[in-house]
Amino acid sequence: MRPDCRLVLVTAAAAAAAPRCLGLRTSAAVPGLSNPFIGRRSLTGSAALAVGAAVLPTQSSDAVVKVDPSQVKSTPGGVKYVVVKEGNCPAADPTGLAGSCSAEVGSLAIIDYTGFLPSGDVFDSTERKDGKPLAFKLGQNQVIKGIEEVVLQMKPGEEVQALIPAALAYGSKGVCNDNGECLIKPDTSLKYFIRLKRVAVVPG
């Protein structure tokens, strides 16, 4: 089956609920890491991320929505994504002249996201308890390439489900320790729920 026919991800509501599930599984820890934190650039973008309890319980079948292949879009680099909620220009900038209507290289983007392994397990999310949105500057390699490509297609308030190929995620290295134990295995395509909360021009 073609990849765009297998873009089966969780709904926005399920993504928001996932980080609040009880019973975090610590079995997904990567033993042997000398530092329990790795740069979020390794997982998504900038700040640090705790590895030890990064994977959350798999979503139940009622949290999954099948995507109509005709609604699947592609970024220039090959990320498959579907818009599940349309975005709009802010009321204060309806024409986008102030730079807050669409994301561009050099803009500051603020997103919520949830990342899923092929198994359906959540490996990272801004929406876990006490989580905060992720802010990053587009075009600065502060997030994985696949996320940046999707955000560049979005408007504020828009929500998408995306299937990011390994080459635009963590490639042939994955996210592994020196012993070869991996949180994200090499050559793994990842599923993401992404919500663009805000975009702004960076002064200067």
Side-chain angles (χ1 to χ4, degrees), residues 27-116:
S27 59
V30 183
L33 285 177
S34 58
N35 187 336
F37 293 90
I38 59 177
R40 183 162 294 205
R41 173 68 177 84
S42 301
L43 283 174
T44 55
S46 54
L49 172 72
V51 172
V55 176
L56 302 174
T58 305
Q59 299 306 297
S60 60
S61 59
D62 61 0
V64 175
V65 56
K66 292 185 177 180
V67 172
D68 180 351
S70 68
Q71 300 302 310
V72 176
K73 302 179 181 181
S74 296
T75 68
V79 178
K80 304 290 186 181
Y81 72 98
V82 172
V83 176
V84 295
K85 181 180 178 182
E86 296 287 346
N88 296 287
C89 294
D93 185 22
T95 63
L97 293 178
S100 60
C101 183
S102 59
E104 299 178 357
V105 173
S107 297
L108 176 70
I110 301 175
I111 67 171
D112 276 322
Y113 69 88
T114 298
F116 301 85

Side-chain angles (χ1 to χ4, degrees), residues 9 18 20 28 31 33 41 43 47 50 62 71 90-91 105 129 133 140 143-144 149 155 157 163 175 181 190 192 194:
L9 305 180
R20 298 177 178 83
L33 285 177
R41 173 68 177 84
L43 283 174
D62 61 0
Q71 300 302 310
V105 173
K129 184 178 181 180
Q140 299 297 309
V143 297
I144 60 172
E149 286 200 4
K155 290 185 180 297
L163 180 61
V175 178
E181 296 170 306
L190 300 170
Y192 276 89
I194 304 170

